[in-house]
Each structure stands twice: as structure tokens, then as C-alpha cells.
Amino acid sequence: MRIRGVKRFASAVGLLLGLLCAVEAAKVNKHKPWIETTYHGIVTENDDKVLLDPPLIALDKDAPLRYAESFEVTFTKEGEICGFRIHGQNVPFEAVVLDKSTGEGVIRAKDKLDCELQKEHTFTIQAYDCGEGPDGSNMKKSHKATVHIQVNDMNEYSPVFKEKSYKATVIEGKKYDSILKVEAVDADCSFQFSQICSYEIVTPDVPFTVDKDGNIKNTEKLNYSKERMYKLTVTAYDCGKNRASEDVLVKINIKPTCKPSWQGFNKRIEYEPGTGSLALFPSMHLETCEEPITSIQASIMLETNHIGKGCDRDTYSEKFLHKLCGASAGTVELLPAPSNSANWTVGLPTDNGHDSDQVFEFNGTQAIKVPEGVVSTTLKEPFTISVWMRHGPGGREKETILCNSDKTEMNRHHYSLYVHNCRLVLLLRQEPTESENYKPAEFHWKLDQVCDKEWHHYVLNIEFPAVTLFVDGSNFEPFLVTEDYPLHASKIETQLTIGACWQGGSARMTQYFRGNLAGLMIRSGKLENKKVIDCLYTCKEGLDVQLPEEVASAVKVDFNPNQSSLSLEGDDIESFEKVMQHISYLNSRQFPTPGIRHLRVSTTVKCFNEETCISVPDSEGYVMVLQPEEPRISLSGIDHFARGAAEFESTEGVTLFPELRIVSTITREVEVEAETEAEAEDDPTVQETVVSEEIMHNLDTCEVTVVGDELNGDHESLEVDLVQIQQRALEMSSSNVGMVITGVNTMANYEQVLHLIRYRNWHTEALFDRKFKLVCSELNGRYISNEFKVEVNVIHTANPMDHANNAMVQPQFINQVQHASVDLSGHNLANTHQASVVPSAATVVIVVCVSFLVFMIILGVFRIRAAHQRTMRDQENGKENEMDWDDSALTITVNPMETYEDQHSSEEEGDEEEEESEDGEEEDDITSAESDSSEDEGGEQEDQQGSSRQQQLEWDDSTY
């Protein structure tokens, strides 16, 4: 046991001696500390902690050992890291050892860092150990390592604009890609916080925008007259969403620009009817902004499509227009204005025919039959068909304008004019002939005008087998002609229709037309010449230009056919402007259609490079045709008179309108100025007075109509001298209801013709009166006169056998006159006779051989009134017979011993005469006209007048 113990003790002593030897050896500092060669660190400004990659750790191979001393383990300082040393100038960092034994350390900022002053720092660092022994001798240092530290930024600054304010000037009328650029900066050091990410215009509702780079541009064209300067407030944002500390003011001035355009153009131009030509652009000039111009082209458009049939034309009937344009006789109007003599168009929808042309509307369900006799059954070649038509795109079915087909049994179309798929087609089947060869039957024209919903004038000149079509005065050839056999012989009558085609086999209408028609005419036996066609189509309104001699050759002028547009071309601006200033609007109608005519001027300008260098905008306006003063057509004359029965029965008859006058007046307001300055100061307002002014114009119709029973052709008629009618280029038609005189002519010529109208009646035994009415009109009924009514009474002459009894008959009539309170004012008794007459209102006409019984009754009445009659005969010896008029009973009373000739006596004078007749006052009833006549003509003329003329009572309307 002792031996084992000794051995253990010896082992322990040996181990202890080995450890002591090792410790002694370890106290020697043989190795240098070791650190990484490069470090990267990040530090946030305003913070001192640096994050290094890799971490700061120093290693030393002089590893510290443990040894036992009194059984306690201690470490030597050799191998420990005592510190780190930073090398560099003004390095704001320090290195600190956290654990000497492990060599762990950190780098930290000495003070707060500012990224804006320095973003990155680079320096070197070195580690050193604790050396040997207590005094740290033989200290070892590591190699130097490079340290890169980046200072992270904080968004502590806001954007600031470089300028206190910004200004820019732009020209109106342009859109800019960039007007100006605003710029803001941020003092932050980092890219994120130092960059400006967006700009914003704070001012609302301005026509500007700003992009992320600060470029400001306008969003619309600017107008100097609307705004001369804009003030904008603009702000900026950095990428950290910090807004600028102060917004900036931006001023943008708008500068008026030189605009190439027509200057001095009035948009509203008023045209007063009857003033002739009106200059449209009297002070117009072209502003070219000093651009070098080599050529100018301009077109002036006057829009008149909405007026009448494409423009303003005379609204006379188509027949009258043909006649005015030089077409000879043979023209038949198939769509006349409804009247007593032409009533087949009654019921068709139409305009009122007043302000504009009268047109007829066909809606696809309406058609009319032309009465027999209006157009010849078989048209005599050559012949012409003309029509005004407005038609839009239709269906696939045929739409008939005019059709002549079998009236019964069959459905053959002899000739027709129809529309099919925007084609105008004329069907013309030849009548039966000896040869049965194919002949041209259908002529097709494909025309845009057929379906453009505008008015166009179509004229077909037919001279078989050639057919020529004129549309608005231009010639068109058919693109297709088909052939067919002539019709078979037949005795079936034909029916002429408009707006559809009559099917005789089924007795119904087919192929209805949809559109508007006017002026449908057929002229048989002669073709329409080009001059007449052009005249019919020519407008009464349009553009006109009177070229000055000095510029006539410098500017080329072209008109379209209806003068609704013209084009100009030239190379000299001054000459071009002079021509423009002489362009005028003209409406030759005395009573034009009022309303607006739009006007447009389009211009193209070229420079030296033969390209359009400046753009001249269109100038638009309108011509306002004012309402013409409407004429008042007045008919006046003698409207109540009597004639003897013999005159009615004579070959000459009785003139109905012997003293007719036709007068037309217009009423207008005229400003009346004050005569003196004092009056003007008292009443500063302008006074207006109405003035009536007589004018002259044409008439186209005067119609005499019987009032009451129609004329009986067996014993009465209205007659007129046809030679006089023809000499004045008028036409006359008559019927049992009256007489119509037509034709465009002056009021004077109409007046002369109306003076010649006579009424005849060769069986007047039962006729006591007849009434007639006269009405005249102008422009197809646009202006209508008053109704002038005439009443004519028949004076029946007694048989010569009864003349001796007149003295006894007289008292009865005088008694009736006294009790009737007759008003004689306005009556005119002329052409008196000594012969005795009876009133027209008597219930029994005195005939030859009055019975003795009647004589005795009259004699009894005569004795009853004997005293009164003696006074009357004493006063009226030597005077002419007098005839009194009773309006209420239409009774004519005749006193063979008296004559009443006062044309202008008033109603009061008539009453006074009746009251004072017993006092002898009737001698005053002899008028001054009687006195003058007796003095001038003498007794012989009075005797001759009394023996040659019958008594006559006329109505004078001068007092009404």
C-alpha cells in the first residue's frame, strides 16, 4: 500500500513540474494579433453605432493557458487583445475592445454624423495585444486593415425651388410641349431623399399641366382675349414624400399672335328687299402675318337649299314661268294650285304657297288622277316632260311620278316616268304600227341627284327614238336603253295619274311615289330649248361680282350654274382683296322669301415652296333677308248700278267694271325728327309714323265669280274681247261659275282687260239683279286683293201704250218712297230718260196692254194722293226724271217728272229732303253738277240726252 501511495505521489509531482515548465514557456509573447484585411460598415446619421461586416474580432496565437496555484486557474496576459488603433486624420470614429480574451471589439462614432457633410469614411485599424509580463513589454501589433463606413441618410430636408418665381411668355393659339421648367432641390445626401419625384400645380382650373421633371405646358390653345396672364402656384415632392417648404409662383403671359384670317368680316348681313345688289365684304382684307404668299384660292358658298326648290325663285305657277321664259303655247300644267277650274290637286298635302314655292308631298299612299281632256290621249311627238323633284333613298319598288295606263281591263303602261333604285326611268311604249319590230322602250339614267334629298329640275326632251335628259340645266345621256314590242291595238281608254300608276285590270293604284313634286308639265309638239331650261332653273338670288377693270385680269372667277358659289384664284393679295370687296348678294324678286342664307368663305394660301404655309380658317356668317313689306292690293270702283234690260240683251252687254281701279300699297314706319332743338329736348324719344306708299307690281290672276246661282249658258254669259286678252299676253278661261284671267302682267294691263268684261242676258223678263265678285292675286296666291263685289240691277222698260198712264202710276211709287226713308247718299243716277219705268222689286212686271181694272185701281190711288202730287208737279216742272233707291227692299222708284242726280249727298241731306218736301225745299236738290251741265251744254243737249238714254241708277262708293 505504501508502495502504491509513493508511486501516486511521484506522478503528481512530475505532472506539476511539467505544468510549471509549460507556464514558463508560455510567458513568452511570440505572435502578433490577427484581424481581417477589409471591413465595411454602415452608420445612420445622428447615431453612433456602426454595423461592420465582418465583425471586428482580433485573434492571437499566443493562446492563454491555465495553471494551478493553490488549485486556482489563472490566465496570463500574453495573447490578450488590449486595444485597437485607428489611423487617419480627423477620423470621427473610435474602436473599443469589448473582450480582451476573445479579441472582440466595435467601432463607434465619436460625435453625431452628418451625411450631407460626408457620406462615406475610409480609414485603417490595427489591433495590439497586451505584451509580456506585468509591464506589457514586447507588445505585438496586427497588420493594418481598411475600414469603409457609409453614413446612411435621414429625410430631414424638404425640397427647395432654385428660383423665387418663374416667368414665361407664350403666343396665343398654340399648344406647347414645354413652356418653362421649374426646378427644386433637396439637401438630403441620399438618392432617395435628395431626388424630386414629382411636381404639382396647386392652382385649380387652369389650362396647364406639369410633369415629373418640372416642365409646364398648356393643355389647350390659349386665347389672348380670354386671359392675358395666368398665375400658377407650383409645389414639389421628394421621393420621401416631403413637400417643398415653400411653393413657387409661376407667371405665364399670353401674347396675342398674328392669326392668318380674313379681317373685317361681318357675321350678320341684313338684306332689305328691293335694294338691289348688297356688298358682302366691303371692308374685308386677308391677314397673312407677313408670310411670303405666292397664290391664293378662295371659295364663297351661299347656302340656299332650304329656300323653296333649292333657292329663291318666282312663285308663279309653272305654266306662267314657262311663258315668262319664252316657251310657246302647248304647255299643260299637271300639278296646278287648287282652284275652281283645276281642282284635281285638292287634298294633296302642300305648303301654303305664300312665302315660297308651292310644292306637293306624296307619302307613298296618295295619288291623283288627271281629268280627261287636260292632256291629249296620245302625245304628239316631239314632246317634253319637266318636273321639280326632291327624293331620298327609297326601297326596291318602283315609285311612279307620272303614268299613262289602261283605264280598264288591262294593266298596260303606255308611258310613265318613275324612280327605281336611285335611277330615273322613262317608259315609252310605241303605239301599234304595221311593223312588229323591237323598239326602244325604257331609258335608264343612274343619277346621284335622284336620292340626295335635294331639289332638282328634270327636263326630258323626247323625239323618238332619241331622249335627252337635263338635270339642273346639265345634259345626261342614258346609260341603259331596253327595247320592247309596240303595244297591241286596243280601244281601251287611258288614265293619266300622278304619284302612282293606275292598274286598269284590278282597278287600283300601285307603285306609289314617296317624295315632293312641283311644276310637273307636259309640252306636246315641241321640244324645250336650252335657253328656256336654263331660265326655268336659274335662281332669283345668288352671288354676284363686278370686277374692277384694274384687277379683272389678275383674279380668275368661276361661278356654279345657280350662282350659289363662286371660286377665286390669284397671286396678288391686293387685287384679290379688291375682288372680294366687290362680291355681293342679289335677290331680284320684288318680294323675296325672308330668312337666313348661311355664308362660308374657305381659303387656301401657298408659299414659295408650293405648299400650304399658313392655315386660314373658314369665315362663316349669314345673310338675313328681311321680311318684305307686304302689298295691299285694293280693288275699287262702282259697286252698285242699274241698266236697262235692252242693254243686257244687246250684243255688247253690260260692262261690269267700267271704273275699276287696282291700287297696291305698302305700309311702313318712318322716323320723324323734331323740327327744333327745343322740341328735341322736351321729347328726346324718336317718334315713328306710319306712311302708306303706292307701289307697282305684277298680277298673275284675276277671277270673276258669280254670287248666287251659276250662269245659265242658255241665256246668259260673261264675255271679254279675246283679241285684247291676247295682245296683252294673257289667257282667259270661263265656266258656269265665272271667268278667270291669268298671266303675269302689270296691274295696268289687268285693269284695262277687266274694264272689257261684259255680262249678257238675252232673257231678262224674270231678271231683276245679278251679283258678281272680283278677286285678284299675285305670286300664285301669295298676295290676294280684297273681294270687290258688284251688284247690277235690270231696269225694265214699259210698253209705249202705257206711257199715257204714267202720270196716274206715279203717285203710288212716290207714296212708297216717302214711307221707306230711303238713303240716297252715294247713288248715281245717270243717263236719264223721259220714259216711264217701274222698279225692279215690283211684284208684277207691267206688260204691254195693262188691263182696265189695274188702271182703275191706280187711278183711285192717284186721287187719294192728288193734293200731294200737285205740289210735287209744280216744283219739278222742267226737271228730269228722278229715281230713288231703297237699299232694304232693292226697290227702284221712278218719277217721270223728276231726276235725281246728286252723287255726293249725305244721309242727313236725304232725310231733310224727305221731311221738308211739302215746304218746297226740293228745289235745292238740283246739284251743282246739274247746274254746270245745264249751263255748259244748253237745252238742246239736255233734250238730246233725255231722248237717247234710259234712266240709270249707279252706286257711288266714294263716301265709304
Side-chain angles (χ1 to χ4, degrees):
M1 291 293 293
R2 288 183 177 180
I3 295 173
R4 292 180 178 176
V6 173
K7 290 180 179 180
R8 292 177 178 175
F9 179 75
S11 299
V13 172
L15 177 61
L16 180 59
L17 291 174
L19 288 173
L20 290 173
C21 292
V23 169
E24 288 296 329
K27 289 181 179 180
V28 178
N29 192 13
K30 297 180 179 181
H31 300 89
K32 295 179 180 180
W34 179 89
I35 58 176
E36 298 287 345
T37 58
T38 304
Y39 292 92
H40 294 275
I42 298 175
V43 63
T44 302
E45 63 178 347
N46 301 326
D47 193 5
D48 61 352
K49 186 178 181 179
V50 179
L51 298 177
L52 285 178
D53 183 27
L56 181 60
I57 298 176
L59 300 177
D60 197 330
K61 290 183 179 181
D62 296 319
L65 299 176
R66 293 179 182 181
Y67 60 93
E69 183 177 347
S70 300
F71 298 95
E72 292 183 2
V73 179
T74 61
F75 295 89
T76 63
K77 64 180 180 180
E78 291 80 3
E80 291 183 352
I81 303 302
C82 281
F84 297 93
R85 183 173 297 165
I86 294 175
H87 300 276
Q89 293 181 356
N90 302 324
V91 178
F93 296 96
E94 64 181 0
V96 179
V97 177
L98 298 179
D99 190 343
K100 292 182 178 181
S101 60
T102 60
E104 182 181 358
V106 294
I107 298 176
R108 60 190 179 191
K110 296 178 182 179
D111 296 312
K112 290 184 179 180
L113 300 175
D114 192 348
C115 176
E116 288 71 35
L117 295 178
Q118 189 171 349
K119 292 182 180 181
E120 294 182 351
H121 297 269
T122 302
F123 54 88
T124 58
I125 191 171
Q126 193 177 31
Y128 60 91
D129 59 17
C130 294
E132 300 176 357
D135 57 354
S137 61
N138 195 22
M139 181 183 64
K140 301 290 184 181
K141 297 180 181 180
S142 70
H143 62 275
K144 292 181 180 180
T146 303
V147 180
H148 300 279
I149 296 178
Q150 179 180 346
V151 181
N152 280 353
D153 188 23
M154 292 183 65
N155 194 13
E156 55 186 332
Y157 293 99
S158 296
V160 177
F161 285 95
K162 290 185 176 182
E163 303 289 343
K164 292 183 178 181
S165 64
Y166 292 86
K167 293 182 180 180
T169 301
V170 296
I171 300 175
E172 66 172 346
K174 295 177 62 177
K175 290 188 69 174
Y176 292 83
D177 293 332
S178 178
I179 296 176
L180 60 89
K181 182 177 181 179
V182 295
E183 188 175 0
V185 295
D186 195 308
D188 289 312
C189 65
S190 64
F191 178 83
Q192 178 182 4
F193 298 136
S194 64
Q195 293 297 311
I196 306 300
C197 280
S198 64
Y199 293 89
E200 180 183 348
I201 297 177
V202 180
T203 306
D205 302 327
V206 290
F208 298 93
T209 185
V210 59
D211 62 15
K212 64 178 182 178
D213 297 324
N215 294 307
I216 296 177
K217 63 180 181 179
N218 55 323
T219 58
E220 62 184 40
K221 293 181 179 180
L222 305 177
N223 193 329
Y224 175 79
S225 60
K226 182 179 178 181
E227 193 72 42
R228 298 187 178 184
M229 185 180 69
Y230 289 91
K231 294 182 179 180
L232 315 176
T233 302
V234 181
T235 190
Y237 294 90
D238 62 20
C239 295
K241 301 300 182 181
N242 270 6
R243 180 173 172 171
S245 55
E246 290 186 5
D247 299 336
V248 70
L249 178 64
V250 179
K251 296 180 180 180
I252 300 178
N253 293 310
I254 312 302
K255 181 180 178 181
T257 185
C258 176
K259 294 182 178 179
S261 62
W262 287 104
Q263 303 293 325
F265 176 73
N266 294 326
K267 290 187 175 181
R268 177 185 172 95
I269 305 166
E270 291 188 354
Y271 180 80
E272 185 176 350
T275 56
S277 181
L278 174 66
L280 297 176
F281 320 113
S283 58
M284 199 173 188
H285 68 278
L286 181 62
E287 178 60 65
T288 60
C289 300
E290 300 182 357
E291 289 286 343
I293 305 301
T294 58
S295 66
I296 311 173
Q297 294 178 343
S299 63
I300 297 90
M301 297 289 297
L302 180 70
E303 296 182 7
T304 60
N305 293 337
H306 61 291
I307 304 296
K309 297 192 291 286
C311 64
D312 211 1
R313 296 182 175 89
D314 282 331
T315 57
Y316 295 119
S317 69
E318 199 69 18
K319 184 177 181 179
F320 295 163
L321 292 175
H322 275 70
K323 197 169 184 179
L324 289 174
C325 287
S328 58
T331 302
V332 178
E333 188 173 7
L334 299 182
L335 283 176
S339 64
N340 293 330
S341 59
N343 58 2
W344 62 87
T345 56
V346 175
L348 279 179
T350 177
D351 71 346
N352 56 17
H354 283 239
D355 287 345
S356 187
D357 296 327
Q358 188 175 51
V359 300
F360 296 90
E361 180 182 356
F362 294 83
N363 58 12
T365 61
Q366 296 167 318
I368 58 175
K369 294 181 179 180
V370 180
E372 295 182 5
V374 175
V375 179
S376 175
T377 305
T378 58
L379 291 176
K380 180 182 178 182
E381 294 183 6
F383 65 95
T384 299
I385 299 175
S386 64
V387 65
W388 285 92
M389 180 177 71
R390 179 171 61 187
H391 182 266
R396 297 182 178 180
E397 298 180 356
K398 296 179 180 179
E399 298 180 44
T400 301
I401 301 170
L402 177 69
C403 180
N404 187 40
S405 58
D406 288 335
K407 195 171 187 178
T408 58
E409 299 181 18
M410 304 179 69
N411 297 328
R412 298 180 305 171
H413 297 179
H414 293 251
Y415 63 87
S416 67
L417 181 64
Y418 63 89
V419 173
H420 188 212
N421 291 333
C422 293
R423 298 178 181 180
L424 185 68
V425 183
L426 173 67
L427 170 66
L428 183 59
R429 298 289 301 278
Q430 292 298 301
E431 295 300 325
T433 58
E434 295 181 358
S435 61
E436 294 295 333
N437 298 329
Y438 273 103
K439 293 185 178 181
E442 279 191 336
F443 301 83
H444 298 250
W445 292 269
K446 190 172 183 180
L447 304 168
D448 294 335
Q449 293 90 330
V450 172
C451 294
D452 64 359
K453 294 184 180 180
E454 300 290 344
W455 278 107
H456 297 285
H457 187 228
Y458 301 84
V459 178
L460 289 130
N461 277 340
I462 301 149
E463 189 172 17
F464 194 81
V467 177
T468 304
L469 171 66
F470 293 90
V471 181
D472 297 338
S474 300
N475 186 6
F476 290 87
E477 295 295 332
F479 82 97
L480 176 64
V481 177
T482 60
E483 297 181 341
D484 202 349
Y485 285 111
L487 294 171
H488 296 292
S490 173
K491 295 183 179 180
I492 301 175
E493 296 181 352
T494 59
Q495 175 66 59
L496 184 62
T497 55
I498 301 173
C501 204
W502 175 255
Q503 299 290 83
S506 56
R508 64 185 181 89
M509 293 285 190
T510 60
Q511 302 174 5
Y512 284 95
F513 180 77
R514 293 175 178 83
N516 297 99
L517 298 176
L520 181 57
M521 306 286 293
I522 289 184
R523 185 182 185 189
S524 180
K526 192 171 183 180
L527 299 178
E528 209 75 274
N529 61 52
K530 187 65 167 59
K531 183 178 180 181
V532 173
I533 294 172
D534 291 340
C535 175
L536 293 172
Y537 176 70
T538 300
C539 297
K540 291 294 184 178
E541 66 175 340
L543 300 173
D544 191 19
V545 59
Q546 301 294 331
L547 293 178
E549 294 182 1
E550 63 273 15
V551 299
S553 60
V555 180
K556 181 182 178 181
V557 181
D558 291 323
F559 284 91
N560 71 335
N562 60 0
Q563 291 188 306
S564 63
S565 68
L566 62 87
S567 60
L568 307 178
E569 185 175 358
D571 53 11
D572 181 67
I573 295 180
E574 184 178 354
S575 300
F576 202 92
E577 290 176 346
K578 285 185 178 179
V579 174
M580 290 290 292
Q581 293 169 4
H582 284 79
I583 295 175
S584 59
Y585 170 80
L586 176 64
N587 195 317
S588 59
R589 296 189 64 191
Q590 189 174 8
F591 307 107
T593 303
I596 290 176
R597 279 76 163 164
H598 289 283
L599 191 66
R600 180 186 295 106
V601 180
S602 302
T603 309
T604 302
V605 178
K606 292 185 179 181
C607 299
F608 287 102
N609 54 4
E610 294 297 327
E611 294 182 358
T612 302
C613 53
I614 59 174
S615 176
V616 180
D618 291 352
S619 299
E620 295 186 357
Y622 61 91
V623 177
M624 171 60 76
V625 179
L626 303 179
Q627 179 75 37
E629 300 289 346
E630 295 194 0
R632 180 181 178 184
I633 306 173
S634 301
L635 308 179
S636 61
I638 300 174
D639 61 357
H640 205 169
F641 61 90
R643 294 290 187 271
E647 290 190 36
F648 289 93
E649 297 176 357
S650 66
T651 57
E652 295 297 327
V654 174
T655 302
L656 291 181
F657 313 106
E659 298 183 14
L660 176 71
R661 283 202 64 205
I662 304 176
V663 177
S664 183
T665 58
I666 59 173
T667 303
R668 62 179 61 182
E669 293 183 352
V670 179
E671 295 182 357
V672 179
E673 298 180 356
E675 295 183 358
T676 63
E677 295 183 0
E679 292 180 359
E681 294 177 357
D682 294 340
D683 187 9
T685 60
V686 178
Q687 298 181 353
E688 293 185 351
T689 183
V690 177
V691 176
S692 182
E693 182 178 322
E694 184 174 344
I695 63 171
M696 301 299 295
H697 58 79
N698 291 331
L699 298 176
D700 59 6
T701 303
C702 281
E703 184 173 4
V704 181
T705 308
V706 178
V707 178
D709 296 336
E710 297 180 354
L711 294 174
N712 189 336
D714 295 336
H715 61 266
E716 60 180 341
S717 66
L718 287 175
E719 298 178 357
V720 68
D721 190 346
L722 294 180
V723 175
Q724 296 292 333
I725 292 283
Q726 294 173 357
Q727 287 179 352
R728 292 169 175 79
L730 297 174
E731 296 181 2
M732 184 275 293
S733 61
S734 60
S735 64
N736 56 354
V737 296
M739 176 184 294
V740 180
I741 299 175
T742 58
V744 181
N745 217 314
T746 63
M747 292 188 295
N749 281 339
Y750 264 96
E751 193 175 277
Q752 294 172 5
V753 170
L754 291 172
H755 288 167
L756 303 176
I757 295 179
R758 307 181 306 274
Y759 170 67
R760 287 187 61 204
N761 191 313
W762 44 94
H763 292 294
T764 59
E765 292 84 356
L767 179 67
F768 301 107
D769 57 59
R770 254 309 194 181
K771 296 179 181 179
F772 301 90
K773 178 179 67 176
L774 173 63
V775 175
C776 295
S777 65
E778 163 68 337
L779 293 175
N780 207 19
R782 179 175 177 182
Y783 303 116
I784 303 176
S785 72
N786 61 307
E787 292 186 354
F788 179 65
K789 295 182 179 180
V790 171
E791 180 176 349
V792 56
N793 294 98
V794 181
I795 302 175
H796 294 275
T797 304
N799 192 288
M801 294 178 58
D802 300 325
H803 288 180
N805 301 326
N806 286 338
M808 291 180 286
V809 176
Q810 178 183 349
Q812 180 179 1
F813 299 138
I814 293 178
N815 183 40
Q816 292 177 357
V817 170
Q818 289 177 345
H819 290 283
S821 301
V822 178
D823 178 12
L824 298 178
S825 62
H827 289 71
N828 179 21
L829 300 178
N831 301 330
T832 58
H833 278 277
Q834 298 289 336
S836 167
V837 297
V838 295
S840 62
T843 58
V844 178
V845 179
I846 299 178
V847 296
V848 180
C849 299
V850 180
S851 64
F852 179 76
L853 179 61
V854 175
F855 170 75
M856 293 301 296
I857 295 174
I858 296 175
L859 182 60
V861 175
F862 169 75
R863 290 176 178 177
I864 294 174
R865 305 294 297 175
H868 176 69
Q869 291 301 322
R870 289 192 195 94
T871 305
M872 295 291 289
R873 282 193 297 273
D874 292 338
Q875 293 175 351
E876 298 299 329
N877 284 335
K879 293 183 180 180
E880 297 179 352
N881 296 331
E882 176 179 348
M883 185 164 58
D884 295 334
W885 185 267
D886 183 2
D887 285 332
S888 61
L890 296 177
T891 302
I892 299 177
T893 305
V894 178
N895 185 346
M897 301 298 296
E898 299 175 353
T899 300
Y900 187 85
E901 295 183 354
D902 185 5
Q903 297 184 6
H904 305 287
S905 61
S906 63
E907 181 177 359
E908 290 78 13
E909 290 175 345
D911 294 338
E912 183 180 355
E913 171 192 335
E914 190 172 18
E915 293 175 359
E916 298 180 359
S917 60
E918 296 181 358
D919 298 330
E921 296 287 333
E922 292 185 356
E923 292 180 1
D924 297 333
D925 290 338
I926 302 176
T927 64
S928 60
E930 281 183 313
S931 302
D932 295 339
S933 177
S934 61
E935 292 175 4
D936 296 338
E937 296 175 4
E940 294 180 358
Q941 187 172 355
E942 288 183 5
D943 295 340
Q944 183 179 359
Q945 184 181 21
S947 61
S948 61
R949 293 182 298 174
Q950 295 181 339
Q951 284 185 328
Q952 176 176 311
L953 180 63
E954 297 181 352
W955 185 269
D956 182 7
D957 65 348
S958 60
T959 60
Y960 290 91

